[in-house]
Amino acid sequence: MNLKLNMLTFKEIFQHYGICEQEIEYGGVSGQAEMVVNFFAHKFLCFKKGNGEKTSAISLTEIENSKERRVGNVILKEIGIGLKFGDIIDIKEIEKVCGTPVAIDNDFIDMFRYHYSISPDLFICIGVKEQNNKLVHLEIINDAEVISEIIDFRKIWNDRRIYHVVLDRKQYYKLECLLRGNNTLSKYLAENKAICGYELFKEIVCELKLLKEDGCGIEEYGIPILKTITAQIYCKNEDYFVKQIEAEEFECEEDFVVKFDLEFEGEKNIVSKYTALWEYVQKSGSDFLQLTFEQIQNIINIPIDHSFLKYKKELIQYGYQVNKISMNKKIVTFHKIVTKE
């Protein structure tokens, strides 16, 4: 794959846009980054390792509206990758060029990310919208050290325990109100993205502190929703974060992320083609379970396909979650959802 990435620089491509340059760490590797200041900093990023002149990585993420797509597509044209933001992506066609993805995930944003290790010094991540398979994310890394570090860095993130917290409409609205002062967390909540547990509870506790100082009755308004969320993580200590409203410094002893599942009255469970598999996993009672694609086919009587990525969220209500899908080994790993006591 012949990509023109080494000498890429935003300053030459976008002379009519402001370009911000600053020192950052990309997956634990120090270097210089160029970002287009007319957009959120994370949208368009060009990274050079150390003080080098060669581009080590480029990240174009959540490219969805027409203005973002125009800018993103100019970059893609410069690289020579032959893709366009907004186009519907056929993953099977991508695999003909890039091979089988080493990992697939959709845990933290409303898209599927396909990770391809082309060679020791070329790694590509393609993100498509879950609803329509349109290209919205592209990351290219062409430095062996950065690739090694970024993979290790993401493994740490993926190893974080994910807690699924169930809220009804009224509880969800109260949480929305508490997070209104934090644009990032509000956006993540609205888009049903996973939220860092530390940032979530720190924001709620700080907001309740401010409300209390202003003389508001947090015992009726804020404390109940804080206890409701906490109880689904620390099931025997729902006051874990409530106590910190009076503390000088915020503490959170565990590194975890939270996803909110909404449970509305009148909704009915729908039987899907994977229900037999979910029941099989639940009945196993195992904390950790591995099944091959062939075993899964024998359970559900149909071959496993890409739709599995969309249906796997159903497994949460059975007390389990899909931890990893290995396309090379053709194995799916399941983990029991454990509530911390």
Side-chain angles (χ1 to χ4, degrees):
M1 186 176 291
N2 185 23
L3 301 178
K4 297 177 289 184
L5 186 63
N6 283 344
M7 304 310 295
L8 181 74
T9 171
F10 287 170
K11 288 185 290 186
E12 293 183 5
I13 301 175
F14 303 114
Q15 297 180 4
H16 57 295
Y17 281 130
I19 302 298
C20 170
E21 295 182 88
Q22 67 181 61
E23 293 183 2
I24 69 167
E25 284 194 355
Y26 196 91
V29 178
S30 299
Q32 299 286 328
E34 291 181 349
M35 292 167 281
V36 184
V37 299
N38 304 64
F39 302 91
F40 288 117
H42 72 279
K43 290 281 184 180
F44 305 100
L45 187 147
C46 180
F47 174 76
K48 294 177 174 64
K49 183 177 70 173
N51 296 317
E53 296 182 356
K54 291 185 178 181
T55 297
S56 303
I58 185 168
S59 176
L60 315 173
T61 190
E62 296 184 59
I63 311 301
E64 300 191 43
N65 66 43
S66 58
K67 186 176 181 181
E68 293 168 350
R69 285 197 293 268
R70 283 197 298 271
V71 173
N73 287 336
V74 169
I75 299 172
L76 297 189
K77 185 177 180 181
E78 287 289 324
I79 297 171
I81 196 168
L83 297 173
K84 287 186 177 181
F85 287 107
D87 285 355
I88 296 176
I89 299 299
D90 186 341
I91 295 300
K92 291 183 179 179
E93 291 298 316
I94 298 294
E95 290 179 1
K96 291 179 182 179
V97 179
C98 299
T100 303
V102 295
I104 303 173
D105 69 71
N106 73 325
D107 289 332
F108 305 114
I109 41 182
D110 187 25
M111 68 177 174
F112 293 122
R113 297 191 306 174
Y114 298 83
H115 305 265
Y116 299 94
S117 181
I118 312 298
S119 67
D121 58 357
L122 182 58
F123 181 90
I124 296 178
C125 176
I126 293 175
V128 298
K129 201 73 175 173
E130 183 175 353
Q131 298 90 334
N132 51 31
N133 274 6
K134 288 186 177 181
L135 181 67
V136 292
H137 171 86
L138 181 69
E139 178 187 35
I140 304 174
I141 308 173
N142 66 334
D143 181 278
E145 180 188 0
V146 178
I147 291 172
S148 176
E149 292 294 331
I150 201 78
I151 290 175
D152 288 343
F153 179 80
R154 288 177 183 173
K155 185 178 186 300
I156 293 172
W157 170 262
N158 289 331
D159 284 346
R160 287 179 173 180
R161 186 180 297 282
I162 302 174
Y163 290 102
H164 292 267
V165 175
V166 179
L167 300 179
D168 60 27
R169 288 183 186 273
K170 290 182 178 179
Q171 292 167 337
Y172 182 82
Y173 173 73
K174 289 180 180 179
L175 178 60
E176 275 187 320
C177 294
L178 289 173
L179 297 182
R180 280 177 182 171
N182 188 310
N183 291 334
T184 300
L185 295 186
S186 294
K187 181 176 183 289
Y188 276 33
L189 179 66
E191 297 178 358
N192 195 29
K193 296 179 180 180
I195 301 175
C196 170
Y198 179 91
E199 297 296 336
L200 172 70
F201 286 106
K202 182 179 180 181
E203 180 66 24
I204 295 174
V205 169
C206 288
E207 182 65 20
L208 292 179
K209 279 186 178 181
L210 292 174
L211 290 172
K212 186 175 181 179
E213 290 173 2
D214 291 340
C216 299
I218 64 172
E219 288 77 11
E220 181 178 351
Y221 175 76
I223 298 296
I225 183 61
L226 178 56
K227 284 187 174 183
T228 296
I229 300 172
T230 306
Q232 297 184 55
I233 298 172
Y234 299 89
C235 63
K236 292 187 177 181
N237 191 5
E238 64 178 16
D239 292 323
Y240 180 81
F241 291 109
V242 173
K243 295 175 182 177
Q244 299 195 43
I245 297 174
E246 304 295 335
E248 292 185 4
E249 294 185 2
F250 178 80
E251 294 182 1
C252 183
E253 66 182 24
E254 185 186 1
D255 190 16
F256 61 90
V257 294
V258 179
K259 289 201 76 173
F260 291 97
D261 301 320
L262 305 185
E263 189 176 73
F264 298 150
E265 292 182 4
E267 290 188 348
K268 297 180 180 179
N269 292 328
I270 300 173
V271 176
S272 78
K273 61 182 181 180
Y274 289 103
T275 297
L277 175 61
W278 310 150
E279 292 176 346
Y280 179 92
V281 173
Q282 184 184 49
K283 289 178 181 177
S284 74
S286 302
D287 293 334
F288 174 87
L289 180 66
Q290 277 191 342
L291 294 175
T292 64
F293 286 7
E294 183 178 357
Q295 287 173 316
I296 291 175
Q297 180 175 340
N298 290 336
I299 294 169
I300 61 178
N301 296 318
I302 54 173
I304 186 172
D305 55 26
H306 282 288
S307 70
F308 181 80
L309 295 169
K310 295 183 179 181
Y311 283 98
K312 70 185 181 75
K313 295 178 181 178
E314 300 173 345
L315 184 57
I316 294 167
Q317 62 185 301
Y318 293 82
Y320 282 81
Q321 64 189 31
V322 175
N323 187 60
K324 185 178 181 181
I325 304 170
S326 173
M327 304 299 291
N328 289 332
K329 297 180 180 179
K330 298 187 181 301
I331 289 176
V332 180
T333 303
F334 304 89
H335 273 181
K336 180 183 284 188
I337 298 172
V338 180
T339 303
K340 185 175 178 64
E341 299 185 0

